Amino acid sequence: MSALLQLIWLASPALPIGGFSYSEGLESAIEHGLVRDEASAAEWLSQQLALTQTRGDLALAARALPAWREGDLPALKVLNDWVLQTRETAEMRLQTEQMGRSLLDWLRNHHTASPAQIAQCQALGQPTYPLVMALALAGSGAALADGLLAYAFGWAENMVGAAIKSVPLGQSAGQRMLARLAAEIPAAVAQAMALAERDQRQAFSPMLAILSARHETQYSRLFRS
């Protein structure tokens, strides 16, 4: 029960790390007419789960979580550097750095990470969100697959929230979109666990990078990315 409560807590949009302030290119996709309604928003997020989260951040977290439990600091340094090197725009890098810092601040006031682990995380240079979240999940005592399910569902809730605000959509539409993502997340987690090694991960999503770059100069926007 303790591990389950920790996962619910870490997956909550109320976690004070700023995830609600990012749309990860979705707001730009709406501006350019690629997302217009519930159906197109649901398809956009489904593809983002499959093409970027599963192959990138979730796969990386699948390697980082056991690395934290094993105390494998060289591996964690390589993983953190990979995140920084594969963020294709200033906004994408800002998001992972800011959310990483905020989650690390949160961990300082809780007991899911030791002071030594927090110091080790800081020693990575600029701790990124996937690495810090992996540390938080490692301290929950949950199994790897369960931790990744919580990670993915937390992402899904934030992104559906962004769609509701920016398309805009109603709450019932948001729940239908979240139900679709929830049905797809278990397979995404299983795939991410199979892609945990560096030569299998990838961060190639050129359209998302273009939209993120365009968002930096978008005239009117609600979100930081």
Side-chain angles (χ1 to χ4, degrees), residues 145-161:
D146 290 341
L148 295 178
L149 287 170
Y151 185 118
F153 191 78
W155 169 85
E157 280 207 288
N158 277 319
M159 293 303 297
V160 167

Side-chain angles (χ1 to χ4, degrees), residues 69-97:
R69 289 177 173 166
E70 297 160 7
D72 190 346
L73 299 183
L76 290 165
K77 172 65 173 170
V78 170
L79 292 168
N80 195 65
D81 288 347
W82 187 88
V83 176
L84 293 171
Q85 292 160 5
T86 56
R87 288 307 191 259
E88 297 175 290
T89 67
E91 285 192 342
M92 290 178 176
R93 180 153 178 157
L94 168 69
Q95 179 181 355
T96 198
E97 291 178 348

Side-chain angles (χ1 to χ4, degrees), residues 142-181:
L144 173 60
D146 290 341
L148 295 178
L149 287 170
Y151 185 118
F153 191 78
W155 169 85
E157 280 207 288
N158 277 319
M159 293 303 297
V160 167
I164 289 172
K165 294 173 186 175
S166 55
V167 172
L169 298 169
Q171 294 295 329
S172 295
Q175 288 298 298
R176 288 190 292 269
M177 291 167 59
L178 192 58
R180 172 174 172 175
L181 290 171

